[in-house]
Amino acid sequence: MNSNSYKAAGFAAIALAILFPIYWLYAFDSLSAESFATAFENDLRTLNGWDALFVTIGALEIAIYIALAKLCRDQFNGSLPAVLLIMMAAVVGLIHATVLVDISLAIGLLAPSDTLINVTIMFSLICLFLYAVVAFIFAISMLVRFSQLSVPLKVFTIGLLVACVFQFTIVLGVINIFLFPVLMIVLAMHFFRGEHEVEVV
């Protein structure tokens, strides 16, 4: 992975840090205005710029995890962290693939129903839980290599572990709207360091 690839991943992390809270603050504001089920149904029935932003966020997150997986594999023989990052990217892809339901409803391939809404909600929640589990295991696998990590990666690893704990509590998960962008900025700092990010002690 060359320095240009690192820089591209860094810019992607910064873009995600900006776009992530914009989307999720909008989403939570919509939920606060009406019941969860009603808000979710309305979101499924409409196809707009927010859906495009949702897809963009997912694509950026997947690209970042793939870049970090290559770095783990190439620069400190982190085969397990690399595999876990690919799994995280796959789960993120599944979460953001729910936009296909919006598209199907918009073009008439599917008819809106309570069953469809409930299944989509459950699928999203299960994927979010799986993401938190895999990310938690990833963070632990990185802590084992703590002395080999750069300062930004150390901060990112600890922060991700905390974010996963917040996600498990569900209630505190809302804090991740603000914590996740901070972690992306820290990760961007790591990517911008290029090939000099490893600090062997």
Side-chain angles (χ1 to χ4, degrees), residues 40-101:
F40 197 86
E41 181 177 359
N42 290 338
D43 180 66
L44 287 179
R45 287 174 179 271
T46 58
L47 193 63
N48 52 36
W50 290 106
D51 294 301
L53 179 57
F54 183 68
V55 172
T56 300
I57 288 172
L60 288 171
E61 193 171 353
I62 290 170
I64 291 166
Y65 292 152
I66 291 174
L68 188 56
K70 290 181 180 178
L71 187 147
C72 289
R73 185 170 51 248
D74 295 342
Q75 299 205 353
F76 45 88
N77 298 319
S79 57
L80 176 58
V83 170
L84 292 169
L85 282 163
I86 296 301
M87 291 174 64
M88 288 167 60
V91 175
V92 169
L94 290 175
I95 293 171
H96 290 265
T98 56
V99 75
L100 294 175
V101 177

Side-chain angles (χ1 to χ4, degrees), residues 12-197:
I14 290 176
L16 183 58
I18 295 171
L19 298 177
F20 185 87
I22 291 176
Y23 176 83
W24 286 108
L25 285 174
Y26 158 78
F28 274 89
D29 181 64
S30 298
L31 292 178
S32 65
E34 50 193 330
S35 71
F36 178 83
T38 302
F40 197 86
E41 181 177 359
N42 290 338
D43 180 66
L44 287 179
R45 287 174 179 271
T46 58
L47 193 63
N48 52 36
W50 290 106
D51 294 301
L53 179 57
F54 183 68
V55 172
T56 300
I57 288 172
L60 288 171
E61 193 171 353
I62 290 170
I64 291 166
Y65 292 152
I66 291 174
L68 188 56
K70 290 181 180 178
L71 187 147
C72 289
R73 185 170 51 248
D74 295 342
Q75 299 205 353
F76 45 88
N77 298 319
S79 57
L80 176 58
V83 170
L84 292 169
L85 282 163
I86 296 301
M87 291 174 64
M88 288 167 60
V91 175
V92 169
L94 290 175
I95 293 171
H96 290 265
T98 56
V99 75
L100 294 175
V101 177
D102 297 59
I103 296 173
S104 298
L105 287 172
I107 63 178
L109 288 179
L110 293 175
S113 66
D114 291 340
T115 300
L116 177 63
I117 294 170
N118 291 334
V119 168
T120 306
I121 291 174
M122 286 302 300
F123 178 79
S124 298
L125 292 177
I126 290 171
C127 286
L128 284 172
F129 177 76
L130 288 176
Y131 170 85
V133 170
V134 178
F136 185 86
I137 298 172
F138 164 74
I140 295 297
S141 72
M142 291 293 279
L143 288 178
V144 174
R145 300 165 172 79
F146 199 72
S147 63
Q148 296 178 280
L149 306 180
S150 67
V151 172
L153 259 188
K154 289 177 179 177
V155 175
F156 172 76
T157 298
I158 295 172
L160 182 62
L161 196 64
V162 172
C164 290
V165 173
F166 286 162
Q167 194 70 34
F168 288 140
T169 66
I170 299 177
V171 175
L172 294 177
V174 68
I175 296 176
N176 289 336
I177 294 177
F178 307 100
L179 177 57
F180 187 75
V182 173
L183 296 181
M184 287 298 103
I185 292 173
V186 172
L187 192 56
M189 294 170 57
H190 169 70
F191 282 129
F192 287 137
R193 293 182 63 172
E195 298 180 355
H196 303 289
E197 82 292 340

